Amino acid sequence: MLVLLGGAEILFTLRAPLPVVLHIGMQGLAGYLVPAVMVLCGLLILFNPAQRLFYSILAVLASLATWVTSNLGGFLIGMTLGVVGSCLTFGWLPDQPLRRGRQRRLDRREERRAAKTASA
């Protein structure tokens, strides 16, 4: 969600009409293209979490590219949101079953609690 918000913030800070963007050339087009990639990555992270590692790497690269292409990364706010969001996404693990050791520890705790309530 942070990547999506960062890309949207950068897109909203770019206020140039299309003829001006086309006149500037590739630099002006990149100013709109890079935040659009960030928004797309944010949506894909939300709706396709199985590929989150690829999208998070792409999002952090796009976020860092906005420093050059889009008003210092949307006045640092959008770039910071994008980098933090993509780093959190890279470390995020969807719901997974617990490992055997941790599951055993939780089972032992529940048994102890049950034994304490039964003896009380």
Side-chain angles (χ1 to χ4, degrees):
M1 194 66 172
L2 291 175
V3 176
L4 180 68
L5 290 173
E9 193 272 333
I10 293 170
L11 280 174
F12 287 128
T13 60
L14 297 174
R15 295 283 181 166
L18 189 59
V20 172
V21 171
L22 294 177
H23 181 71
I24 293 172
M26 197 62 191
Q27 180 71 19
L29 186 61
Y32 284 99
L33 187 63
V34 173
V37 168
M38 285 177 63
V39 170
L40 182 65
C41 284
L43 290 172
L44 288 170
I45 287 167
L46 288 174
F47 293 114
N48 190 9
Q51 299 295 322
R52 72 189 183 285
L53 296 178
F54 173 72
Y55 297 139
S56 67
I57 292 170
L58 189 62
V60 78
L61 292 175
S63 297
L64 293 174
T66 61
W67 177 263
V68 177
T69 61
S70 306
N71 296 333
L72 298 176
F75 305 113
L76 296 176
I77 297 168
M79 185 184 74
T80 305
L81 285 173
V83 168
V84 169
S86 57
C87 290
L88 288 173
T89 301
F90 191 82
W92 169 51
L93 293 175
D95 293 335
Q96 293 180 346
L98 294 176
R99 295 184 190 151
R100 281 182 280 161
R102 183 166 175 114
Q103 185 63 45
R104 274 188 253 137
R105 283 192 299 257
L106 288 175
D107 290 340
R108 278 189 239 138
R109 285 181 192 161
E110 289 178 17
E111 289 172 5
R112 281 188 237 139
R113 286 183 192 150
K116 285 181 183 178
T117 56
S119 66

